[in-house]
Amino acid sequence: MSTPVEVVALHVSPVHAYEGRPADGPRPDPEPVARDHVVVRAGLGLVGDRYFNHPAHRNAAVTVFAVEALDDLGTDLDPLLVRRNIVLRGFDVNGLARHDVFTLDTGDGPVRFETHRPANPCAWMDAVLGPGAMRGLRGRGGMRCVPLDDGVLRLGPATLT
């Protein structure tokens, strides 16, 4: 079954910004993280991302997140702050189970992903989104996936199957 969704944010960063103690604040990115499109490589992740072709993250190289989880926190938050790679509107990402396969097509052809594990929120969410964000995102932090196809994803309307 095909579901219309919207890709509201795409995030690629070569470095970790949220490491160490949240009280010390995030480390600045050397380049802007927002993208209007991303290049996906099967089994490797998103070109230019810190998890691309990283052996320890082979099954978790791409994180998909539902922006509705932020909407439910009750404030107008920038979806890039959660540092999830693909932020969607219109699909319950957290309803996916391990090893589910879904396809996302933003107009350049379908790209399949296999889910592997939840992306649990950490204490950094309280530091960058506001007090209570970590608790509010518990069980709603997105899913870590491995791409099964090469392709390109773009911001805007998309189809998820």
Side-chain angles (χ1 to χ4, degrees):
M1 182 165 123
S2 178
T3 302
V5 296
E6 180 185 3
V7 178
V8 298
L10 294 167
H11 177 280
V12 173
S13 177
V15 299
H16 292 278
Y18 301 159
E19 59 184 13
R21 296 180 304 182
D24 295 336
R27 184 168 71 184
D29 279 299
E31 61 185 64
V33 296
R35 301 287 191 268
D36 63 356
H37 74 281
V38 293
V39 176
V40 183
R41 292 290 176 248
L44 301 175
L46 304 181
V47 174
D49 192 66
R50 63 198 175 280
Y51 294 126
F52 182 80
N53 197 26
H54 193 280
H57 294 278
R58 194 62 45 90
N59 289 330
V62 177
T63 305
V64 181
F65 180 79
V67 74
E68 288 85 356
L70 285 181
D71 296 344
D72 291 345
L73 292 179
T75 58
D76 187 25
L77 296 167
D78 181 350
L80 291 171
L81 290 175
V82 294
R83 295 186 65 86
R84 303 313 197 229
N85 300 114
I86 302 168
V87 181
L88 301 177
R89 179 174 300 285
F91 183 74
D92 180 16
V93 171
N94 299 293
L96 294 167
R98 290 176 191 234
H99 305 292
D100 279 352
V101 174
F102 66 93
T103 303
L104 192 57
D105 189 343
T106 61
D108 289 283
V111 179
R112 292 175 304 135
F113 293 89
E114 181 180 357
T115 61
H116 280 271
R117 61 184 169 91
N120 297 316
C122 66
W124 275 101
M125 294 300 101
D126 286 348
V128 296
L129 298 176
M134 181 176 131
R135 175 176 280 161
L137 292 175
R138 192 171 294 146
R140 304 182 73 198
M143 292 297 288
R144 296 187 190 256
C145 307
V146 61
L148 302 177
D149 301 307
D150 289 349
V152 174
L153 297 175
R154 299 182 185 282
L155 289 177
T159 303
L160 192 143
T161 50

Short mmCIF file of all heavy atoms in Angstrom, two decimals, residues 59-112:
data_model
loop_
_atom_site.label_atom_id
_atom_site.label_comp_id
_atom_site.label_asym_id
_atom_site.label_seq_id
_atom_site.Cartn_x
_atom_site.Cartn_y
_atom_site.Cartn_z
N ASN A 59 24.44 -1.64 10.10
CA ASN A 59 23.00 -1.89 10.12
C ASN A 59 22.21 -0.74 10.73
O ASN A 59 21.03 -0.89 11.03
CB ASN A 59 22.68 -3.19 10.85
CG ASN A 59 23.10 -4.40 10.05
OD1 ASN A 59 23.11 -4.37 8.82
ND2 ASN A 59 23.47 -5.46 10.73
N ALA A 60 22.87 0.39 10.95
CA ALA A 60 22.20 1.53 11.56
C ALA A 60 22.73 2.84 10.97
O ALA A 60 22.79 3.86 11.65
CB ALA A 60 22.42 1.51 13.07
N ALA A 61 23.11 2.82 9.71
CA ALA A 61 23.76 3.97 9.10
C ALA A 61 22.81 5.13 8.83
O ALA A 61 23.24 6.27 8.73
CB ALA A 61 24.45 3.56 7.80
N VAL A 62 21.51 4.86 8.70
CA VAL A 62 20.53 5.89 8.39
C VAL A 62 19.42 5.85 9.44
O VAL A 62 18.89 4.78 9.74
CB VAL A 62 19.93 5.68 6.98
CG1 VAL A 62 18.85 6.71 6.69
CG2 VAL A 62 21.02 5.71 5.92
N THR A 63 19.10 7.01 9.99
CA THR A 63 18.02 7.08 10.97
C THR A 63 16.85 7.85 10.37
O THR A 63 17.02 8.97 9.87
CB THR A 63 18.48 7.76 12.27
OG1 THR A 63 19.62 7.07 12.76
CG2 THR A 63 17.38 7.72 13.32
N VAL A 64 15.67 7.24 10.43
CA VAL A 64 14.44 7.83 9.92
C VAL A 64 13.58 8.20 11.13
O VAL A 64 13.46 7.44 12.09
CB VAL A 64 13.70 6.84 9.00
CG1 VAL A 64 12.43 7.47 8.44
CG2 VAL A 64 14.62 6.39 7.86
N PHE A 65 12.98 9.39 11.08
CA PHE A 65 12.27 9.96 12.22
C PHE A 65 10.95 10.56 11.76
O PHE A 65 10.88 11.14 10.67
CB PHE A 65 13.16 11.05 12.84
CG PHE A 65 12.60 11.76 14.03
CD1 PHE A 65 12.63 11.18 15.28
CD2 PHE A 65 12.06 13.03 13.90
CE1 PHE A 65 12.14 11.84 16.39
CE2 PHE A 65 11.57 13.71 15.00
CZ PHE A 65 11.61 13.11 16.25
N ALA A 66 9.91 10.46 12.58
CA ALA A 66 8.60 11.07 12.30
C ALA A 66 8.52 12.41 13.01
O ALA A 66 8.59 12.47 14.25
CB ALA A 66 7.47 10.15 12.75
N VAL A 67 8.35 13.49 12.27
CA VAL A 67 8.32 14.84 12.85
C VAL A 67 7.14 15.03 13.79
O VAL A 67 7.17 15.89 14.67
CB VAL A 67 8.34 15.91 11.73
CG1 VAL A 67 6.99 16.01 11.03
CG2 VAL A 67 8.79 17.26 12.28
N GLU A 68 6.12 14.20 13.68
CA GLU A 68 4.97 14.31 14.58
C GLU A 68 5.39 14.13 16.04
O GLU A 68 4.76 14.67 16.95
CB GLU A 68 3.90 13.28 14.21
CG GLU A 68 3.15 13.59 12.93
CD GLU A 68 3.86 13.10 11.66
OE1 GLU A 68 4.99 12.57 11.75
OE2 GLU A 68 3.28 13.25 10.57
N ALA A 69 6.47 13.39 16.29
CA ALA A 69 6.96 13.24 17.66
C ALA A 69 7.39 14.58 18.23
O ALA A 69 7.19 14.85 19.42
CB ALA A 69 8.12 12.24 17.70
N LEU A 70 7.96 15.44 17.40
CA LEU A 70 8.32 16.79 17.85
C LEU A 70 7.09 17.65 18.02
O LEU A 70 6.99 18.43 18.97
CB LEU A 70 9.26 17.47 16.84
CG LEU A 70 10.70 17.00 16.81
CD1 LEU A 70 11.48 17.80 15.78
CD2 LEU A 70 11.35 17.10 18.17
N ASP A 71 6.14 17.53 17.09
CA ASP A 71 4.90 18.30 17.19
C ASP A 71 4.21 18.04 18.52
O ASP A 71 3.67 18.96 19.14
CB ASP A 71 3.94 17.94 16.05
CG ASP A 71 4.47 18.30 14.67
OD1 ASP A 71 5.43 19.10 14.58
OD2 ASP A 71 3.93 17.77 13.68
N ASP A 72 4.26 16.79 18.98
CA ASP A 72 3.60 16.41 20.23
C ASP A 72 4.28 16.97 21.47
O ASP A 72 3.69 16.95 22.55
CB ASP A 72 3.48 14.89 20.34
CG ASP A 72 2.50 14.32 19.32
OD1 ASP A 72 1.72 15.09 18.73
OD2 ASP A 72 2.52 13.09 19.11
N LEU A 73 5.51 17.47 21.33
CA LEU A 73 6.18 18.09 22.48
C LEU A 73 5.59 19.47 22.77
O LEU A 73 5.87 20.05 23.81
CB LEU A 73 7.68 18.19 22.25
CG LEU A 73 8.45 16.88 22.21
CD1 LEU A 73 9.94 17.15 21.95
CD2 LEU A 73 8.28 16.09 23.49
N GLY A 74 4.80 19.98 21.83
CA GLY A 74 4.05 21.21 22.08
C GLY A 74 4.75 22.50 21.71
O GLY A 74 4.26 23.57 22.04
N THR A 75 5.86 22.45 21.04
CA THR A 75 6.53 23.66 20.61
C THR A 75 6.95 23.52 19.15
O THR A 75 6.96 22.44 18.60
CB THR A 75 7.78 23.94 21.47
OG1 THR A 75 8.66 22.83 21.38
CG2 THR A 75 7.42 24.19 22.92
N ASP A 76 7.29 24.64 18.54
CA ASP A 76 7.72 24.65 17.15
C ASP A 76 9.23 24.45 17.12
O ASP A 76 10.00 25.41 17.27
CB ASP A 76 7.32 25.96 16.49
CG ASP A 76 7.58 25.97 15.00
OD1 ASP A 76 7.61 24.88 14.39
OD2 ASP A 76 7.78 27.06 14.45
N LEU A 77 9.67 23.21 16.95
CA LEU A 77 11.09 22.88 17.02
C LEU A 77 11.65 22.57 15.63
O LEU A 77 10.97 21.97 14.80
CB LEU A 77 11.30 21.66 17.94
CG LEU A 77 10.92 21.88 19.39
CD1 LEU A 77 10.87 20.54 20.12
CD2 LEU A 77 11.91 22.81 20.06
N ASP A 78 12.90 22.93 15.42
CA ASP A 78 13.59 22.62 14.18
C ASP A 78 13.86 21.12 14.14
O ASP A 78 14.56 20.59 15.01
CB ASP A 78 14.90 23.39 14.13
CG ASP A 78 15.71 23.16 12.86
OD1 ASP A 78 15.36 22.26 12.07
OD2 ASP A 78 16.70 23.88 12.68
N PRO A 79 13.35 20.38 13.15
CA PRO A 79 13.55 18.93 13.11
C PRO A 79 15.02 18.53 12.94
O PRO A 79 15.38 17.40 13.23
CB PRO A 79 12.70 18.46 11.93
CG PRO A 79 12.45 19.66 11.12
CD PRO A 79 12.52 20.85 12.04
N LEU A 80 15.87 19.44 12.50
CA LEU A 80 17.29 19.10 12.37
C LEU A 80 17.96 18.94 13.73
O LEU A 80 19.00 18.29 13.83
CB LEU A 80 18.02 20.16 11.55
CG LEU A 80 17.65 20.19 10.07
CD1 LEU A 80 18.28 21.41 9.40
CD2 LEU A 80 18.08 18.92 9.37
N LEU A 81 17.37 19.50 14.78
CA LEU A 81 17.97 19.40 16.11
C LEU A 81 18.05 17.97 16.63
O LEU A 81 18.93 17.66 17.44
CB LEU A 81 17.22 20.28 17.12
CG LEU A 81 17.38 21.78 16.91
CD1 LEU A 81 16.48 22.54 17.89
CD2 LEU A 81 18.82 22.20 17.07
N VAL A 82 17.16 17.09 16.18
CA VAL A 82 17.22 15.70 16.64
C VAL A 82 18.32 14.92 15.93
O VAL A 82 18.64 13.80 16.32
CB VAL A 82 15.86 14.97 16.51
CG1 VAL A 82 14.83 15.57 17.44
CG2 VAL A 82 15.38 14.96 15.08
N ARG A 83 18.89 15.51 14.91
CA ARG A 83 20.02 14.93 14.16
C ARG A 83 19.70 13.54 13.61
O ARG A 83 20.53 12.65 13.59
CB ARG A 83 21.29 14.94 15.00
CG ARG A 83 21.73 16.38 15.30
CD ARG A 83 23.03 16.50 16.00
NE ARG A 83 24.16 16.03 15.25
CZ ARG A 83 24.87 16.76 14.38
NH1 ARG A 83 24.52 17.99 14.12
NH2 ARG A 83 25.94 16.25 13.79
N ARG A 84 18.47 13.37 13.15
CA ARG A 84 18.09 12.16 12.44
C ARG A 84 18.22 12.46 10.95
O ARG A 84 17.95 13.57 10.50
CB ARG A 84 16.67 11.74 12.77
CG ARG A 84 16.35 11.49 14.25
CD ARG A 84 17.37 10.64 14.96
NE ARG A 84 16.85 10.11 16.22
CZ ARG A 84 17.49 10.16 17.37
NH1 ARG A 84 18.66 10.75 17.46
NH2 ARG A 84 16.96 9.63 18.46
N ASN A 85 18.63 11.48 10.16
CA ASN A 85 18.95 11.73 8.75
C ASN A 85 17.76 12.10 7.88
O ASN A 85 17.85 13.01 7.07
CB ASN A 85 19.64 10.51 8.13
CG ASN A 85 20.92 10.14 8.82
OD1 ASN A 85 21.00 9.07 9.42
ND2 ASN A 85 21.92 10.99 8.75
N ILE A 86 16.68 11.35 8.03
CA ILE A 86 15.50 11.55 7.18
C ILE A 86 14.32 11.80 8.10
O ILE A 86 13.97 10.93 8.91
CB ILE A 86 15.24 10.33 6.28
CG1 ILE A 86 16.46 10.05 5.40
CG2 ILE A 86 13.98 10.53 5.45
CD1 ILE A 86 16.41 8.71 4.68
N VAL A 87 13.72 12.98 8.00
CA VAL A 87 12.59 13.34 8.85
C VAL A 87 11.35 13.39 7.97
O VAL A 87 11.29 14.17 7.01
CB VAL A 87 12.82 14.69 9.56
CG1 VAL A 87 11.64 15.01 10.47
CG2 VAL A 87 14.13 14.66 10.36
N LEU A 88 10.37 12.55 8.31
CA LEU A 88 9.14 12.42 7.54
C LEU A 88 7.94 12.99 8.27
O LEU A 88 7.90 12.97 9.50
CB LEU A 88 8.85 10.94 7.26
CG LEU A 88 9.89 10.14 6.49
CD1 LEU A 88 9.44 8.69 6.39
CD2 LEU A 88 10.11 10.73 5.11
N ARG A 89 6.95 13.43 7.51
CA ARG A 89 5.64 13.77 8.06
C ARG A 89 4.63 12.86 7.36
O ARG A 89 4.66 12.72 6.15
CB ARG A 89 5.28 15.22 7.80
CG ARG A 89 3.89 15.59 8.35
CD ARG A 89 3.57 17.05 8.22
NE ARG A 89 4.48 17.93 8.92
CZ ARG A 89 4.53 18.13 10.24
NH1 ARG A 89 3.70 17.47 11.03
NH2 ARG A 89 5.39 18.97 10.77
N GLY A 90 3.77 12.21 8.18
CA GLY A 90 2.70 11.42 7.60
C GLY A 90 2.85 9.92 7.70
O GLY A 90 2.06 9.19 7.10
N PHE A 91 3.83 9.45 8.48
CA PHE A 91 4.01 8.01 8.63
C PHE A 91 4.55 7.70 10.02
O PHE A 91 5.46 8.37 10.50
CB PHE A 91 4.99 7.48 7.57
CG PHE A 91 5.17 5.98 7.63
CD1 PHE A 91 4.17 5.14 7.17
CD2 PHE A 91 6.32 5.42 8.16
CE1 PHE A 91 4.32 3.76 7.24
CE2 PHE A 91 6.49 4.06 8.23
CZ PHE A 91 5.48 3.22 7.77
N ASP A 92 3.98 6.67 10.65
CA ASP A 92 4.40 6.26 11.99
C ASP A 92 5.68 5.42 11.89
O ASP A 92 5.63 4.20 11.88
CB ASP A 92 3.29 5.46 12.68
CG ASP A 92 3.67 5.00 14.08
OD1 ASP A 92 4.66 5.53 14.65
OD2 ASP A 92 3.00 4.11 14.61
N VAL A 93 6.80 6.09 11.83
CA VAL A 93 8.10 5.42 11.72
C VAL A 93 8.31 4.44 12.87
O VAL A 93 8.82 3.34 12.69
CB VAL A 93 9.24 6.46 11.68
CG1 VAL A 93 10.60 5.80 11.79
CG2 VAL A 93 9.13 7.30 10.42
N ASN A 94 7.90 4.84 14.06
CA ASN A 94 8.14 4.02 15.25
C ASN A 94 7.24 2.78 15.30
O ASN A 94 7.46 1.91 16.13
CB ASN A 94 7.99 4.86 16.51
CG ASN A 94 9.02 5.97 16.51
OD1 ASN A 94 10.20 5.73 16.61
ND2 ASN A 94 8.55 7.21 16.35
N GLY A 95 6.30 2.70 14.39
CA GLY A 95 5.46 1.51 14.29
C GLY A 95 6.11 0.40 13.49
O GLY A 95 5.60 -0.72 13.44
N LEU A 96 7.25 0.69 12.88
CA LEU A 96 7.98 -0.33 12.14
C LEU A 96 8.66 -1.30 13.11
O LEU A 96 9.08 -0.91 14.19
CB LEU A 96 9.05 0.31 11.24
CG LEU A 96 8.52 1.19 10.10
CD1 LEU A 96 9.65 2.02 9.51
CD2 LEU A 96 7.87 0.33 9.04
N ALA A 97 8.77 -2.55 12.70
CA ALA A 97 9.44 -3.57 13.50
C ALA A 97 10.82 -3.84 12.91
O ALA A 97 11.11 -3.48 11.77
CB ALA A 97 8.62 -4.87 13.50
N ARG A 98 11.65 -4.49 13.69
CA ARG A 98 12.98 -4.87 13.19
C ARG A 98 12.83 -5.73 11.95
O ARG A 98 11.97 -6.60 11.88
CB ARG A 98 13.74 -5.64 14.26
CG ARG A 98 14.15 -4.76 15.41
CD ARG A 98 14.81 -5.59 16.50
NE ARG A 98 14.94 -4.76 17.68
CZ ARG A 98 16.09 -4.56 18.31
NH1 ARG A 98 17.19 -5.14 17.89
NH2 ARG A 98 16.14 -3.80 19.37
N HIS A 99 13.66 -5.44 10.97
CA HIS A 99 13.73 -6.14 9.69
C HIS A 99 12.55 -5.87 8.77
O HIS A 99 12.41 -6.54 7.75
CB HIS A 99 13.95 -7.64 9.88
CG HIS A 99 15.17 -7.94 10.71
ND1 HIS A 99 16.45 -7.68 10.27
CD2 HIS A 99 15.29 -8.43 11.96
CE1 HIS A 99 17.31 -8.02 11.21
NE2 HIS A 99 16.64 -8.46 12.25
N ASP A 100 11.71 -4.88 9.10
CA ASP A 100 10.71 -4.43 8.13
C ASP A 100 11.44 -3.74 6.98
O ASP A 100 12.48 -3.10 7.19
CB ASP A 100 9.74 -3.44 8.75
CG ASP A 100 8.63 -4.10 9.55
OD1 ASP A 100 8.51 -5.34 9.50
OD2 ASP A 100 7.88 -3.37 10.23
N VAL A 101 10.91 -3.86 5.79
CA VAL A 101 11.47 -3.17 4.63
C VAL A 101 10.42 -2.19 4.13
O VAL A 101 9.26 -2.54 3.96
CB VAL A 101 11.86 -4.17 3.51
CG1 VAL A 101 12.32 -3.42 2.26
CG2 VAL A 101 12.96 -5.11 4.00
N PHE A 102 10.84 -0.94 3.95
CA PHE A 102 9.95 0.07 3.38
C PHE A 102 10.68 0.77 2.25
O PHE A 102 11.91 0.74 2.16
CB PHE A 102 9.46 1.07 4.45
CG PHE A 102 10.54 1.94 5.03
CD1 PHE A 102 10.82 3.18 4.49
CD2 PHE A 102 11.28 1.51 6.13
CE1 PHE A 102 11.81 3.98 5.02
CE2 PHE A 102 12.26 2.30 6.67
CZ PHE A 102 12.54 3.55 6.12
N THR A 103 9.92 1.39 1.37
CA THR A 103 10.47 2.07 0.20
C THR A 103 10.06 3.53 0.24
O THR A 103 8.90 3.85 0.50
CB THR A 103 9.95 1.42 -1.09
OG1 THR A 103 10.29 0.03 -1.08
CG2 THR A 103 10.54 2.07 -2.32
N LEU A 104 11.00 4.41 -0.01
CA LEU A 104 10.75 5.84 -0.06
C LEU A 104 11.13 6.34 -1.45
O LEU A 104 12.22 6.04 -1.95
CB LEU A 104 11.59 6.53 1.01
CG LEU A 104 11.30 7.98 1.33
CD1 LEU A 104 9.84 8.18 1.76
CD2 LEU A 104 12.22 8.45 2.45
N ASP A 105 10.22 7.08 -2.08
CA ASP A 105 10.46 7.61 -3.42
C ASP A 105 10.10 9.09 -3.43
O ASP A 105 8.96 9.45 -3.19
CB ASP A 105 9.63 6.86 -4.46
CG ASP A 105 9.98 7.22 -5.90
OD1 ASP A 105 10.63 8.27 -6.13
OD2 ASP A 105 9.60 6.46 -6.79
N THR A 106 11.11 9.94 -3.66
CA THR A 106 10.88 11.38 -3.69
C THR A 106 10.91 11.93 -5.12
O THR A 106 10.98 13.13 -5.32
CB THR A 106 11.92 12.12 -2.83
OG1 THR A 106 13.23 11.87 -3.35
CG2 THR A 106 11.84 11.71 -1.37
N GLY A 107 10.86 11.03 -6.09
CA GLY A 107 10.81 11.45 -7.49
C GLY A 107 11.98 10.99 -8.34
O GLY A 107 11.92 11.05 -9.56
N ASP A 108 13.05 10.53 -7.70
CA ASP A 108 14.22 10.06 -8.44
C ASP A 108 14.30 8.53 -8.46
O ASP A 108 15.36 7.98 -8.77
CB ASP A 108 15.50 10.63 -7.82
CG ASP A 108 15.64 12.11 -8.09
OD1 ASP A 108 16.01 12.46 -9.22
OD2 ASP A 108 15.35 12.91 -7.18
N GLY A 109 13.22 7.88 -8.10
CA GLY A 109 13.21 6.42 -8.06
C GLY A 109 13.16 5.91 -6.63
O GLY A 109 13.57 6.60 -5.69
N PRO A 110 12.66 4.70 -6.45
CA PRO A 110 12.49 4.14 -5.11
C PRO A 110 13.81 3.74 -4.47
O PRO A 110 14.73 3.27 -5.14
CB PRO A 110 11.61 2.91 -5.36
CG PRO A 110 11.86 2.54 -6.77
CD PRO A 110 12.17 3.81 -7.51
N VAL A 111 13.87 3.95 -3.15
CA VAL A 111 15.01 3.52 -2.34
C VAL A 111 14.45 2.71 -1.18
O VAL A 111 13.62 3.20 -0.42
CB VAL A 111 15.82 4.71 -1.80
CG1 VAL A 111 17.00 4.23 -0.96
CG2 VAL A 111 16.31 5.60 -2.95
N ARG A 112 14.87 1.46 -1.08
CA ARG A 112 14.41 0.59 0.00
C ARG A 112 15.34 0.68 1.21
O ARG A 112 16.55 0.83 1.06
CB ARG A 112 14.34 -0.86 -0.45
CG ARG A 112 13.28 -1.14 -1.49
CD ARG A 112 13.34 -2.57 -2.00
NE ARG A 112 14.68 -2.84 -2.52
CZ ARG A 112 15.39 -3.95 -2.27
NH1 ARG A 112 14.88 -4.92 -1.53
NH2 ARG A 112 16.60 -4.10 -2.77
#
